[in-house]
Amino acid sequence: PLKAYSLEGTSRHYFPRRRVFYPDRVLKKTLAEKLASYQISYQEGAIVSTDAPYWEDREFLEKYGAFCQAVDMETSAALAVGEALGLKVAAVLFFSDQLSPSGRKVFPPAALASLRSQILPALQAWLAAGKL
């Protein structure tokens, strides 16, 4: 994620007036380079994080769909907590379904398994090397 819009409650405890949080630039760039080095394709974009999964109605999708590529439950909170504690935080996410005003499309489990089999070993090797 390039940024995360907060519709969840955790971020407000750390930054009561903020609604947008950003990953650490250096860590995000390093993650992107690492994914590319493993030939893992990815997309960058904005996320909206919410505490209420599966409540996304047409109004929500029309509003946030204009500038967000994904919905999750924790990215904005993780970025806010990291910033509050002085930690470098970035995220790599993969999604199980796709939202649009016409409804929800669930990705086949085999497609998710294939993605996990690519990305998890790459991230494990990178973290084991200890070169963040």
Side-chain angles (χ1 to χ4, degrees):
L2 297 172
K3 60 183 164 182
Y5 293 87
S6 172
L7 295 181
E8 44 73 24
T10 301
S11 301
R12 292 181 179 112
H13 290 287
Y14 296 93
F15 299 97
R17 291 175 191 62
R18 284 198 29 214
R19 296 296 176 259
V20 182
F21 298 90
Y22 298 87
D24 178 80
R25 281 183 274 203
V26 173
L27 185 55
K28 190 197 88 42
K29 181 181 179 205
T30 304
L31 276 170
E33 290 169 352
K34 187 53 65 176
L35 290 172
S37 76
Y38 281 93
Q39 299 177 339
I40 297 172
S41 64
Y42 63 93
Q43 294 179 346
E44 295 181 335
I47 290 255
V48 58
S49 297
T50 175
D51 285 337
Y54 303 105
W55 71 274
E56 302 90 354
D57 59 13
R58 180 175 291 281
E59 183 180 328
F60 174 91
L61 296 171
E62 288 174 357
K63 178 179 179 178
Y64 289 97
F67 54 90
C68 290
Q69 288 68 48
V71 179
D72 80 344
M73 293 182 65
E74 57 277 318
T75 299
S76 63
L79 297 176
V81 171
E83 184 177 335
L85 299 177
L87 302 171
K88 294 180 180 183
V89 177
V92 174
L93 309 170
F94 54 97
F95 295 90
S96 60
D97 51 357
Q98 181 178 17
L99 297 175
S100 72
S102 62
R104 183 180 302 272
K105 173 187 168 188
V106 177
F107 298 131
L112 296 174
S114 174
L115 181 56
R116 280 193 299 270
S117 71
Q118 284 183 292
I119 199 166
L120 293 178
L123 291 174
Q124 287 173 331
W126 178 51
L127 292 171
K131 297 179 181 177
L132 300 178

